[in-house]
Amino acid sequence: RNASCMCWGNTVVADMSRRAKTPKYSLFTFHSVQVQVHFLEYDIRTMHYALKTEQVRFPSAGLHRTYHDCCLAPNQGELVAGTSVGELMVFNADNLVYRAALPISTNGVMSVCSAGDYVYVGAGDGKVKKLQGNDQYWSVVGESQLSGRITSLSTRADQAEVTAGTDTAKMYSVRCDDLALRLIQESSVSAIQAVAFGSRSDVFATVSDDGTLRIIDLSDYNVLAHARGPCGGTAIVLADEDIVYTGWEDGSLRVFSALNGDSKGQIAKCHRGRVTSIALSPEFIFTGGDDGAMRVWSRRSYEFVAQYSEHNKTITGLLCDNVHSHLVHSCGMDRAVVTYDLKTTRRCNYKMHRDGAFTGMAQRLDSEQELLTTTTDGFVMSWDCDVQLPVMALDCGRRMKFSCIALTAGGRFIAVGCEDFCVRIWDIIAMEVVAVCRGHSGAITKLSWSPDEKQLVSVGMDCAICVWNFYLGGQN
């Protein structure tokens, strides 16, 4: 049977003054109906280590348990293990015999460790419990409540603190003397749909499927602020004045403070379906959605200003023109690239790709300020407003979907999320790939460059936030 957990037992250290001149190791493995101890001892006759296995003795009726974690008790003569039914099982490690089953939690004992004279237990109800005792006599001398099921406990080398990990992707430091908590790190447990930098290169924001908005410090990866929405987040823009504009699955636009996560307002039901893209100008907020509409809102009052219905499928990219403040560009799954003129309140340019749909958009800073789009058939295409067909097309030599695109502040490099879970970086002046970044295990949803071009952040369906150091940044 497969072992569900294991731990090292006591080690007999080599002693030249005795007959034991080589160390002897013991390893305990826990199975559903039995506990085994494996002794690894040097055999002088065969001149190599040999493995010998013995069974830990149980009552005649037997015990069927699912074990989650185990460790040696502080007195080193006992072994303790946590089970799915919330018991702490106690075994005599010297005599290899079962001693007791102590009820600890109603939601299972997920993790166990020892520090000093105490055993620390992490339970499925989110409680860390501090136990003291031996054999059949144990008592709880303290407990502390964490967020989520405690899936892992580890003792620090000086045994002054215990590190606890939970299934809500949070890591805590628990002080051993008084069980005081300190949040060390937190991450996402659901797919991350969008990421954005503002004017600072050390702070970025993400929004995920579980409705969590996080403002993250890039220097130490700590979460500076967070907020929760009623549904999954789909789009994000971090404005220069520390305001975060977010799009949501319920079709709403919600605005938060990047300093503390407080709500600053919302536009309810601004699209039928998801809000998929957001762009900002000094006066307006532009949103694109699943309904194919591009809508304009007042940035000051959040009032509706205008609507453009040029797409018949989801808008996947939206941006304001780099040169002309009255122009806005969009692309969508209907294989169309559209430019809107806010002065005339109508479409002023329209381009169509025959083969694949568009998944993202950026705009060059050099040349003729062409639009750059990624496609589902694996191309980065450059579009000039005066030419109907693309003036440039980049591919990676393999036919695969490109899911998103981001351009550096200097305008020389683009990062593209690819179907093989890699991020590829192109030098668009030399038209060559300068880096292939492998780190994701799921589809890449969005990319964002830091303003100083030294780092790139990618997020994906694998719940991962990957930070890439880029050493060619700043070259114009």
Side-chain angles (χ1 to χ4, degrees), residues 126 145-150 165-170 172 181:
Q145 182 70 50
L146 278 66
S147 172
R149 304 172 68 194
I150 303 170
T166 72
D167 63 354
T168 58
K170 294 184 177 180
Y172 296 87
L181 301 177

Side-chain angles (χ1 to χ4, degrees), residues 100 130 151 268 291 349 371:
K130 181 179 179 180
T151 56
D291 54 5
N349 205 309
L371 297 176

Side-chain angles (χ1 to χ4, degrees), residues 149-391:
R149 304 172 68 194
I150 303 170
T151 56
S152 177
L153 289 175
S154 179
T155 308
R156 206 170 71 178
D158 60 4
Q159 299 195 346
E161 290 184 352
V162 170
T163 302
T166 72
D167 63 354
T168 58
K170 294 184 177 180
M171 186 182 298
Y172 296 87
S173 176
V174 184
R175 204 160 55 197
C176 290
D177 54 357
D178 58 359
L179 298 185
L181 301 177
R182 178 172 58 89
L183 181 63
I184 302 175
Q185 190 60 264
E186 66 174 294
S187 187
S188 177
V189 292
S190 64
I192 304 173
Q193 294 295 339
V195 59
F197 277 91
S199 58
R200 295 175 55 182
S201 296
D202 60 340
V203 174
F204 66 94
T206 65
V207 68
S208 54
D209 273 350
D210 62 358
T212 303
L213 163 70
R214 292 182 175 89
I215 311 299
I216 300 174
D217 189 336
L218 196 54
S219 59
D220 57 10
Y221 307 116
N222 281 328
V223 176
L224 302 177
H226 59 83
R228 291 299 297 267
C231 56
T234 53
I236 192 168
V237 172
L238 180 55
D240 293 343
E241 61 269 25
D242 291 325
I243 300 296
V244 186
Y245 296 85
T246 56
W248 300 81
E249 287 182 347
D250 62 358
S252 298
L253 178 81
R254 295 181 173 88
V255 186
F256 299 93
S257 168
L259 301 177
N260 51 28
D262 290 346
S263 176
K264 294 293 185 180
Q266 69 170 348
I267 303 174
K269 303 294 182 181
C270 62
H271 285 276
R272 297 189 306 273
R274 301 175 302 159
V275 176
T276 56
S277 302
I278 303 172
L280 297 177
S281 73
E283 297 181 10
F284 301 111
I285 306 168
F286 305 95
T287 61
D290 275 338
D291 54 5
M294 194 279 283
R295 295 191 171 100
V296 186
W297 313 85
S298 169
R299 192 164 173 179
R300 177 176 298 179
S301 63
Y302 303 148
E303 293 181 351
F304 176 77
V305 176
Q307 173 176 309
Y308 300 85
S309 300
E310 301 294 337
H311 293 278
N312 54 40
K313 290 186 179 180
T314 300
I315 293 177
T316 55
L318 191 61
L319 57 86
C320 299
D321 192 85
N322 290 333
V323 179
H324 305 288
S325 60
H326 62 282
L327 297 182
V328 180
H329 310 282
S330 67
C331 67
M333 296 302 292
D334 58 354
R335 299 178 295 174
V337 176
V338 182
T339 299
Y340 312 90
D341 190 332
L342 301 182
K343 289 182 178 180
T344 62
T345 66
R346 61 174 50 189
R347 181 185 80 189
C348 64
N349 205 309
Y350 185 91
K351 291 178 172 59
M352 179 75 74
H353 180 45
R354 180 178 300 177
D355 297 320
F358 296 113
T359 57
M361 174 182 281
Q363 186 178 15
R364 294 185 67 156
L365 303 179
D366 59 352
S367 187
E368 297 294 326
Q369 288 81 44
E370 297 96 337
L371 297 176
L372 300 171
T373 58
T374 48
T375 67
T376 55
D377 58 345
F379 288 98
V380 178
M381 293 185 169
S382 179
W383 302 87
D384 190 304
C385 63
D386 299 323
V387 182
Q388 188 61 29
L389 296 177
V391 297

